[in-house]
Amino acid sequence: LDEELRNRVLQVFAEWAAIIEATIAEAIENGELDPALSASITSWSLLSTLQGALLVAKAANDTSCIPGIGQEAVATLWGGVAA
């Protein structure tokens, strides 16, 4: 990618990851998620999973996999629910 475009794409991903990270951090603070989770790493993991799903769906010209992958990503996150 062109350097300027690459930087802009990374900036957008960072903005999205920050929103996800804040939501995860709030859930950790509220006792809804395991405090051992890294909000930063988890946010990038979720974003990467969903972006990968979009790429696969686009390549396959079939978006039917996206809801299931999104649900699985959330279910995996909630596997860290604090008891």
Side-chain angles (χ1 to χ4, degrees), residues 61-72:
N61 199 28
D62 179 8
T63 61
S64 64
C65 68
I66 293 174
I69 292 171
Q71 290 170 347
E72 186 66 27

Side-chain angles (χ1 to χ4, degrees), residues 19-36:
I19 292 167
I20 297 167
E21 181 179 348
T23 303
I24 292 169
E26 183 179 334
I28 291 169
E29 288 176 24
N30 291 336
E32 298 169 314
L33 291 176
D34 187 336

